Amino acid sequence: MLHSVAEGDTDAFEWLFHTYHDYLGAVVYQLTSSRVLAEEITQETFMEVWLRRKSLRHIKSFKDFVFVVAKNRMLNALRKMANEQRIHQRWIESIDRYQPAEIADDLFEQYTRLMDEAISKLPTQQQKVFRMNKIARLKQREIASMLNISVETVKKHMKLAFKSIREYCSHRPIDQTV
């Protein structure tokens, strides 16, 4: 049977799959306590068996071979899970070092207020173009058409608006100790 699979006989491989799939899946499930992980490892094991089918010619016991492949897959999966948990824990710890949500909300309010003030200080046409582009999300071409001005004029208004807003905000620091 193994020689047939080694030659690419899909019927022989299907027979091996159906013969060992449930038993292998049950063993992996006992070790991982996860149906999803057990099914994934079992599927990957049989994919690897198929990809390495030429080496089956030299195998004396398919059962031993398939369990070694599954064991290696399972160890890799468990290592990956442990690594992901470590990364997740580091991420949680790094989040804890940041400011509480209330402070972040206060900072956001300060930034929003500062931006609103800066925009309100713009000349009327710049203000209108800026709001249409950044708040209403209209394209420069659409703004030009709506305001009956050229696209180049819209670009010029946006450039001047950004410069004015940057200048205004640079002289008004945000209180980050809220």
Side-chain angles (χ1 to χ4, degrees):
M1 182 64 64
L2 296 180
H3 288 288
S4 297
V5 175
E7 295 299 319
D9 184 341
T10 55
D11 291 332
F13 177 75
E14 193 173 320
W15 182 86
L16 284 175
F17 178 83
H18 288 296
T19 302
Y20 290 96
H21 179 270
D22 290 343
Y23 181 68
L24 182 64
V27 170
V28 174
Y29 174 72
Q30 283 181 323
L31 296 170
T32 62
S33 301
S34 167
R35 288 190 195 285
V36 172
L37 190 57
E39 184 60 34
E40 185 177 315
I41 290 169
T42 302
Q43 292 294 332
E44 287 177 1
T45 298
F46 280 101
M47 283 188 350
E48 186 172 339
V49 167
W50 178 252
L51 293 173
R52 294 175 49 190
R53 65 187 172 274
K54 293 192 187 299
S55 66
L56 293 177
R57 289 185 184 111
H58 311 291
I59 303 299
K60 291 180 181 151
S61 168
F62 179 74
K63 185 177 181 181
D64 292 344
F65 174 76
V66 79
F67 280 110
V68 168
V69 172
K71 178 190 78 164
N72 290 336
R73 288 279 176 180
M74 187 172 39
L75 290 173
N76 288 340
L78 293 173
R79 274 190 215 105
K80 183 179 174 187
M81 286 172 52
N83 191 36
E84 287 171 354
Q85 285 177 331
R86 278 194 300 277
I87 290 169
H88 181 72
Q89 185 59 38
R90 281 191 218 131
W91 183 76
I92 294 294
E93 289 168 3
S94 70
I95 293 292
D96 290 343
R97 284 186 237 133
Y98 290 106
Q99 301 169 341
E102 306 86 49
I103 294 175
D105 289 345
D106 288 342
L107 285 173
F108 181 75
E109 280 184 40
Q110 285 184 50
Y111 281 115
T112 303
R113 222 175 304 119
L114 182 60
M115 283 299 293
D116 286 344
E117 287 172 17
I119 294 168
S120 72
K121 302 289 184 192
L122 295 173
T124 307
Q125 191 72 347
Q126 275 182 30
Q127 194 178 128
K128 194 181 296 182
V129 168
F130 186 85
R131 287 182 192 278
M132 291 172 84
N133 183 253
K134 295 300 172 191
I135 297 170
R137 300 279 189 211
L138 296 174
K139 292 181 173 31
Q140 292 178 348
R141 197 172 40 255
E142 295 170 316
I143 297 167
S145 174
M146 291 172 79
L147 296 179
N148 202 25
I149 58 177
S150 72
V151 173
E152 289 305 313
T153 302
V154 171
K155 289 179 183 178
K156 182 76 171 171
H157 282 309
M158 288 300 295
K159 183 178 179 182
L160 291 171
F162 276 122
K163 182 178 178 190
S164 296
I165 291 169
R166 246 189 320 275
E167 178 70 22
Y168 184 87
C169 292
S170 69
H171 297 295
R172 286 157 187 81
I174 296 292
D175 181 11
Q176 297 186 14
T177 60
V178 177

